[in-house]
Amino acid sequence: MKVFKTLERQKLQNLFLLFVAGLSFWLSLTALLPVLPSYIKVMSAGERSLTFALGSWNTSLLLSVQSQVGFVMGCFAIGLLMFRSSLGQMADRRGRKIVVLIGTIVSGIAPFGYLYFHSIPGLMALRAFHGISIAAFTTGYSAWVVDLSPAKQRGELISYMSLVIPVGMALGPMVGGYVAEAAGYTTVFVLSGIAGILAFVLASQVGETPKLETKVARDSALRPKKLLQRLKHPALLTPTSVMLCVGLIFGTLISFLPLFIEEIQLDLNVGLFYAVAAIASFISRVLTGRASDRYGRGIFISGSLVCYGISMVLLSYAQSPQAFLIAAFFEGAGAGTIVPMAIALMSDRSAIDERGLVYSICIGGFDLGMAIAGPILGFLAEPIGYRNLYFLSAILAAIALLVFISRINKDFLSSWRFATGRGQDFYALKT
């Protein structure tokens, strides 16, 4: 980790505080992963009718338990989708710190809401509110880290700072799962809220980076001011489409994995699955960060999509705890690579005064995938079964890989070369 030795003391201190705040944030978030699907199932109490009312208007939907779980879990991404873009623009205009603070305070408040909302519509609204936390935190955190990173070591530093995710994923689900078994849901929600509040306190101590000028802003392919113009540009549309597929896969995984394990009566704590995935994510981030600065982002994004495909195929056939844990390792390797590489790729392609918005659009693809994975695939879970859901996820990974290797650069040949580590990124800014 020689990159840290080259940084000024103040930057190093800010990065350390930001890292610990990020760790607390992800612990707060991931402690709920093994708990919420089962909690939602209990709250549904076998009811298959979900009623919505607004004034004199009301309607009822006849839903399976799987669909209700999918709806509630998917609502998390509604907050992401509604606020990601505006929070990205806020990060560019008003600074990264205020956006990070918004994310952490929501992560501290929302878990306590699960103690008071016991209806499915109430939980859906709470999940949407909780989604604001990750929309704010990840956008502000990513842009803040890049602001503090030397351009030639950007991929390496992003990878190291993004280790808060696998470490949080390793500890949070295990803690959440074991605490739920030993002390019940209430204790898990309280601990999650406390971790979120701690993240807020730590983030408030980080010094805001000064407004920086950039000499390459005029060269950015994403310079058009209108949101639709940005989204339609291949430099942003292709990675956003890839992240949409990844979001669908990840949304399916977190929404239905605990129920899948429960259905086949497998003796496996779902927290262990997330822990193995987190270990793989940790390893992949450490290994790929510096390498991507040398060999480019493309080959590592391609590899991550292959890992996702392998993981989902394994899950669709898995019968034993060992098979699930092997699938977890591949999923973690894929997730641990694609997230920092997508951030690094968009950092390469955008100027400093547009990064917040560009990140929010690209990662918004992931958000949308998560939002629709639960409700849409929840309808399919009952008729086709969980195994086939994960096989469909493997097909999504293959589609994402095909899109990436054919559309990520200016034409098919240059895209193929970049995706296999043998060509440059046509849309990257000169530094």
Side-chain angles (χ1 to χ4, degrees), residues 185-314:
Y185 296 121
T186 298
T187 306
V188 178
F189 296 144
V190 170
L191 289 175
S192 174
I194 291 173
I197 293 170
L198 177 61
F200 175 82
V201 173
L202 290 166
S204 68
Q205 303 304 306
V206 182
E208 177 71 274
T209 53
K211 181 68 177 178
L212 300 176
E213 298 296 330
T214 174
K215 297 179 180 180
V216 298
R218 64 182 182 275
D219 299 325
S220 172
L222 302 174
R223 176 54 56 192
K225 297 298 182 183
K226 292 184 179 179
L227 185 63
L228 186 59
Q229 286 180 291
R230 293 175 185 266
L231 184 57
K232 288 170 61 177
H233 198 286
L236 184 54
L237 179 60
T238 299
T240 301
S241 301
V242 170
M243 294 306 291
L244 171 64
C245 291
V246 175
L248 283 165
I249 297 169
F250 189 72
T252 304
L253 182 71
I254 65 171
S255 293
F256 304 112
L257 182 65
L259 302 183
F260 179 29
I261 292 174
E262 181 181 315
E263 181 184 76
I264 63 176
Q265 299 180 338
L266 193 69
D267 185 19
L268 175 67
N269 186 318
V270 69
L272 186 57
F273 180 97
Y274 290 119
V276 171
I279 291 170
S281 179
F282 186 99
I283 294 171
S284 68
R285 288 168 198 261
V286 171
L287 295 179
T288 60
R290 183 186 298 180
S292 75
D293 290 328
R294 181 176 181 181
Y295 300 109
R297 323 301 184 193
I299 190 170
F300 299 102
I301 295 177
S302 298
S304 71
L305 294 172
V306 171
C307 287
Y308 259 117
I310 293 172
S311 173
M312 295 302 108
V313 170
L314 288 172

Side-chain angles (χ1 to χ4, degrees), residues 313-332:
V313 170
L314 288 172
L315 278 180
S316 69
Y317 288 101
Q319 301 282 353
S320 65
Q322 292 80 4
F324 272 84
L325 296 181
I326 294 172
F329 189 88
F330 277 101
E331 191 279 330

Side-chain angles (χ1 to χ4, degrees), residues 166-188:
V167 174
M169 286 289 289
L171 299 177
M174 281 201 304
V175 171
Y178 286 118
V179 169
E181 290 180 4
Y185 296 121
T186 298
T187 306
V188 178

Side-chain angles (χ1 to χ4, degrees), residues 342-399:
I343 293 171
L345 179 70
M346 299 319 300
S347 300
D348 296 341
R349 295 181 172 195
S350 59
I352 190 171
D353 61 343
E354 60 183 354
R355 281 180 188 146
L357 181 58
V358 168
Y359 292 163
S360 69
I361 296 172
C362 181
I363 305 302
F366 182 84
D367 303 340
L368 178 60
M370 284 186 61
I372 63 179
I376 292 178
L377 297 177
F379 281 113
L380 297 175
E382 189 172 32
I384 72 172
Y386 295 119
R387 292 190 184 279
N388 287 326
L389 280 186
Y390 291 118
F391 189 78
L392 285 175
S393 296
I395 295 174
L396 284 171
I399 292 172

Side-chain angles (χ1 to χ4, degrees), residues 142-196:
S142 299
W144 214 346
V145 169
V146 173
D147 290 349
L148 295 167
S149 302
K152 293 183 179 180
Q153 297 166 303
R154 183 177 290 157
E156 182 180 3
L157 195 54
I158 290 172
S159 292
Y160 289 148
M161 290 297 292
S162 69
L163 289 174
V164 294
I165 302 177
V167 174
M169 286 289 289
L171 299 177
M174 281 201 304
V175 171
Y178 286 118
V179 169
E181 290 180 4
Y185 296 121
T186 298
T187 306
V188 178
F189 296 144
V190 170
L191 289 175
S192 174
I194 291 173

